[in-house]
Amino acid sequence: WNLVFMQYEQLPGGERVPLPKPSIDTGMGLERIASVLQGKNSVFDTDLFQTLIAASADATSTDPNGEMAASHRVIADHLRSSSFLIADGVTPSNEGRGYVLRRIMRRAMRHAHLLGAADPLMHRLVPTLVSEMGEAFPELKRAQAFVEDTLKQEEIRFRTTLGRGMGLLEDASRDLGEGGVLSGQTAFTLYDTYGFPLDLTQDEARRRGFTVDTDAFDAAMNEQKARSREHWTGSGQTASTGEWLALRDRLGPTVFTGYDAVEGSGEVLAIVRDGASVDDLSAGQTAEVLFDQTPFYGEGGGQAGDKGEIEWTDASGQQGSATVLDVQKHAGDLFAHRIEVTTGTLGIGARAQLRSSAQARLTTRANHSAAHLLHKALANVLGGHVAQKGQMVDAERLRFDFSHNAPVTEDELARMEDEVNAVIRQNLPAETKMMGPQEAIAAGAVALFGEKYGDEVRVLTLGRDLAEADKPYSVELCGGTHVARTGDIALFKIVSESGIAAGVRRIEALTGEAARQFLLAQAGVAKSLAQSFKVQVADVPARVEALTADRRALEKQVAELKKQLALGGGGSANAAPEEINGVKLIARVLDGVDGKGLRGVAEDFRKQVGSGVVALIGVTEGKAAITVAVTSDMAGKVNAADLARVAVIAMGGQGAGGKPDFAQGGAPDGSKAEDGLAAVRAALAD
């Protein structure tokens, strides 16, 4: 066993205090118990893994116990961890837990590549995992479709970058022998540009018999972080987490009175300016102020902090006022009011009148409640895999981020709008109840993955289910402010839907008067277009479609004319191919032709050259696009992707992609087009 004896709490000064209940963590988890009970020497030989390993071996037609056995084990283990993370609402990204997931996924996907899997593999193994573990973990069944799609899309993306990254690794390690060291800068480029985690590069290095200069990698990483800090402009020094915790211990929590009121009074308990506690604050100064109680909401749960104003009269009878710029929560339940004093002097012990903006609170409540309704509508329309990935609601609008691997269609958006507005029209009272977190979740309340909840939580219920009236529509744990009745939201309108990260979408929406004004503006645009086209408003879409078709036809004609000009415009365009190292080459710079246009020209030139290589660089708006085409008889001797890559690098770009017989890429500096062609010639001559 892996015994860990837990006996003391070590304090910051080094003192050790005995724990009230000393204990021993045996480390004897499910997999080790299974190994003992099944008489196996390795967890990978137990039934927990063998079915997954067999599925991996079958899908790749390889021996599960041969020299690639380790790859099957990595795939089985990482498939499980990835699937559970995705089912819990984590999606691959470049930071936080999303980056941990991406590292796990990509390591498994690299081993799938080593096994010779020609197509994405991981998602094809999910049904086997669900069959094995779905009964004990029903969340896997519920999220199966989303897990499969997330794994598939990530593997498709990784395979695209894998080829480019492996090309760089091949070039950088070509001269490294057994025991050689790959430069840390190369490892960092693989990480920064191609998404190769360091451990994946180290895996590949070990397989080839060399190591990675991790010190240089760390130096490059720290240099990048330093550059990022240089470009960040802070908003002034503030107290540290430890200092806020100390204030919380000394002063206790702030009492929030804003669920029922937007005005109230509070005594100044502390003033923090430039990271340090001060006794008072004069006109023109800005600081964070703690009151014993407040009607101002502190930013949290995706709801923005309140703004407003405060007024007071000091001991000498002098009046003062300040503007509340923002309110943030620290140490869990300290409400720090960032204020700017406009008149007078505010000191500790003063009692002030606190007034949050009533109108802003009204619209913020509507937007926050609408966000809850949208969350439920998303799950109803798109599926149970939808998980909230973030939100921000304020007095202007609501923004809701959620996990989903495809753009939301217009029909789906319309169904969500209809559903939310139907619940709004119910005009039922919002119900709030204080419960224990587990009790609330057992009752059906939605809890957010990664959120920390106290011993008691606020449960908000909005509306009744549209299909089963005896069931509530939305039940969530939330400490924010909300409408008294669903009808207070008045109107809900989605204004945009977009992708913000791999597997994460964002919806922005308006409520109430803002939604009405948006619809009026949209109607005004339609009316203006109708007047310009001299048609009825209902006929505007057909008129726009006709104009779009006309434009496409003209663009096609222009592209064809550019192509003909490139092929038969006289001068160098009709010159005979040059010959380099026994290979015929047609190399041209074509002004005004983009990457899409180059494809057709390259195909025609490839027919013209008969046997050889075509390298074309189009220059548009100062940027360069390159297309390299190789005739079929030369494909085994010359690689189009390699030639495109050297040309792009010569023009200041980072790489190109494609197949051995056809590749394309782009670079930021079109003035270096001739340098790109020169690099192609040099590569052929090498």
Side-chain angles (χ1 to χ4, degrees):
W1 293 5
N2 182 28
L3 301 179
V4 178
F5 296 86
M6 291 172 284
Q7 187 172 357
Y8 301 105
E9 175 186 6
Q10 182 163 310
L11 303 179
E15 179 187 358
R16 293 181 178 179
V17 179
L19 293 174
K21 293 183 179 180
S23 56
I24 301 172
D25 179 358
T26 68
M28 196 64 176
L30 171 65
E31 290 165 358
R32 290 180 178 175
I33 287 288
S35 298
V36 172
L37 292 178
Q38 296 175 31
K40 305 297 183 181
N41 292 324
S42 166
V43 295
F44 293 106
D45 293 331
T46 65
D47 56 6
L48 290 172
F49 279 100
Q50 278 298 298
T51 304
L52 294 177
I53 289 174
S56 172
D58 182 64
T60 56
S61 300
T62 55
D63 183 0
N65 301 309
E67 61 180 18
M68 300 302 290
S71 291
H72 291 297
R73 291 180 173 188
V74 168
I75 290 170
D77 178 76
H78 291 13
L79 171 70
R80 293 195 320 171
S81 53
S82 298
S83 297
F84 274 94
L85 283 167
I86 296 168
D88 271 336
V90 183
T91 53
S93 67
N94 289 328
E95 58 186 14
R97 60 192 183 217
Y99 180 59
V100 174
L101 171 61
R102 174 162 281 168
R103 289 178 63 182
I104 295 170
M105 294 169 71
R106 291 193 166 184
R107 186 163 187 263
M109 291 165 184
R110 172 64 180 144
H111 279 273
H113 179 77
L114 292 175
L115 289 172
D119 299 310
L121 171 71
M122 297 282 285
H123 74 284
R124 290 186 278 148
L125 305 180
V126 173
T128 303
L129 174 67
V130 173
S131 177
E132 286 291 299
M133 306 187 75
E135 185 175 349
F137 301 96
E139 62 268 29
L140 278 179
K141 285 185 177 180
R142 289 195 298 268
Q144 180 175 348
F146 184 63
V147 171
E148 290 179 11
D149 195 39
T150 300
L151 287 167
K152 182 178 181 180
Q153 296 303 321
E154 180 68 14
E155 191 159 2
I156 289 172
R157 278 188 290 269
F158 182 53
R159 281 172 175 262
T160 300
T161 60
L162 182 62
R164 299 174 185 172
M166 292 305 295
L168 174 62
L169 186 59
E170 292 283 356
D171 293 342
S173 62
R174 186 172 289 120
D175 297 329
L176 291 178
E178 184 76 22
V181 180
L182 182 72
S183 80
Q185 184 59 52
T186 298
F188 179 74
T189 301
L190 285 167
Y191 160 79
D192 193 44
T193 305
Y194 299 102
F196 276 46
L198 177 60
D199 51 3
L200 191 152
T201 303
Q202 289 175 308
D203 277 353
E204 185 61 24
R206 279 191 293 270
R207 198 175 71 85
R208 296 168 180 241
F210 55 85
T211 58
V212 179
D213 185 347
T214 54
D215 290 340
F217 174 89
D218 292 339
M221 178 70 80
N222 292 332
E223 183 180 343
Q224 184 197 57
K225 290 178 179 178
R227 286 196 301 268
S228 298
R229 285 193 294 269
E230 288 174 3
H231 292 295
W232 178 79
T233 302
S235 57
Q237 185 180 2
T238 186
S240 67
T241 301
E243 290 167 327
W244 288 119
L245 287 169
L247 284 171
R248 168 64 173 78
D249 290 341
R250 180 166 63 88
L251 303 174
T254 306
V255 177
F256 177 58
T257 62
Y259 287 127
D260 303 313
V262 293
E263 295 187 18
S265 65
E267 179 185 345
V268 178
L269 300 182
I271 302 173
V272 179
R273 185 163 185 260
D274 293 333
S277 294
V278 297
D279 293 330
D280 52 43
L281 203 61
S282 302
Q285 293 183 323
T286 300
E288 292 167 294
V289 179
L290 300 179
F291 297 92
D292 61 343
Q293 60 181 16
T294 180
F296 283 85
Y297 184 81
E299 181 177 322
Q303 180 176 328
D306 284 343
K307 296 177 175 59
E309 57 189 27
I310 64 175
E311 294 179 346
W312 65 88
T313 301
D314 62 23
S316 64
Q318 295 295 315
Q319 294 184 332
S321 63
T323 299
V324 178
L325 307 174
D326 188 21
V327 183
Q328 294 286 326
K329 288 181 187 175
H330 296 296
D333 48 16
L334 279 185
F335 287 56
H337 304 65
R338 186 161 186 79
I339 72 168
E340 181 179 1
V341 177
T342 50
T343 61
T345 299
L346 179 66
I348 292 177
R351 178 156 288 277
Q353 291 299 311
L354 314 177
R355 287 192 294 274
S356 173
S357 170
Q359 184 57 43
R361 172 68 68 81
L362 192 67
T363 53
T364 299
R365 281 175 171 170
N367 286 335
H368 199 165
S369 296
H372 281 231
L373 300 183
L374 173 61
H375 191 185
K376 180 62 175 178
L378 280 162
N380 286 349
V381 173
L382 300 181
H385 67 272
V386 169
Q388 180 178 332
K389 304 300 293 181
Q391 74 170 15
M392 176 53 71
V393 293
D394 57 20
E396 303 298 325
R397 63 177 58 205
L398 69 91
R399 186 186 74 208
F400 195 90
D401 300 340
F402 58 98
S403 55
H404 190 58
N405 274 332
V408 183
T409 67
E410 289 297 325
D411 176 67
E412 289 167 336
L413 291 172
R415 287 162 58 195
M416 287 179 218
E417 275 190 6
D418 291 345
E419 192 168 303
V420 171
N421 281 302
V423 177
I424 290 171
R425 289 193 298 272
Q426 292 175 347
N427 196 28
L428 293 172
E431 301 174 10
T432 57
K433 186 184 297 184
M434 301 304 295
M435 304 172 69
Q438 295 307 315
E439 177 191 3
I441 294 170
V446 175
L448 301 184
F449 181 80
E451 287 289 322
K452 295 180 179 179
Y453 298 103
D455 295 333
E456 197 173 43
V457 294
R458 197 165 183 263
V459 181
L460 174 72
T461 301
L462 293 169
R464 308 306 295 175
D465 189 88
L466 298 175
E468 302 178 55
D470 60 332
K471 291 175 54 179
Y473 181 76
S474 167
V475 184
E476 290 193 33
L477 309 184
C478 184
T481 61
H482 289 274
V483 295
R485 308 180 70 89
T486 59
D488 294 343
I489 301 171
L491 178 64
F492 173 79
K493 177 61 185 174
I494 295 173
V495 297
S496 70
E497 189 276 338
S498 60
I500 60 170
V504 182
R505 311 293 300 178
R506 169 174 292 173
I507 282 179
E508 295 193 40
L510 302 172
T511 62
E513 179 62 16
R516 190 181 79 88
Q517 291 297 328
F518 175 83
L519 292 173
L520 287 175
Q522 294 291 93
V525 171
K527 185 176 180 180
S528 177
L529 287 172
Q531 291 173 344
S532 298
F533 295 151
K534 294 181 172 55
V535 297
Q536 297 297 316
V537 170
D539 298 326
V540 167
R543 181 64 175 141
V544 170
E545 186 175 343
L547 289 172
T548 301
D550 290 344
R551 179 178 175 177
R552 287 198 192 103
L554 289 172
E555 288 176 344
K556 188 174 181 180
Q557 291 178 22
V558 169
E560 184 61 29
L561 288 172
K562 286 181 177 179
K563 175 181 173 182
Q564 294 303 321
L565 181 63
L567 289 170
S572 62
N574 288 323
E578 56 191 291
E579 187 168 319
I580 300 175
N581 208 8
V583 178
K584 291 181 180 179
L585 170 68
I586 294 180
R588 303 283 185 272
V589 176
L590 305 178
D591 290 325
V593 182
D594 59 15
K596 185 178 179 181
L598 288 177
R599 178 179 287 272
V601 180
E603 291 293 351
D604 287 337
F605 268 135
R606 181 155 58 176
K607 295 175 184 176
Q608 180 180 318
V609 76
S611 173
V613 177
V614 177
L616 305 177
I617 296 179
V619 180
T620 54
E621 299 180 355
K623 297 181 180 179
I626 183 166
T627 294
V628 178
V630 177
T631 57
S632 58
D633 65 308
M634 298 294 295
K637 304 174 184 177
V638 180
N639 189 299
D642 290 342
L643 294 179
R645 187 181 301 114
V646 298
V648 167
I649 292 173
M651 294 185 291
Q654 293 186 336
K659 300 179 180 179
D661 64 337
F662 192 91
Q664 290 187 296
D669 192 351
S671 67
K672 294 182 178 179
E674 290 294 347
D675 294 342
L677 292 183
V680 171
R681 293 186 178 98
L684 289 173
D686 188 2

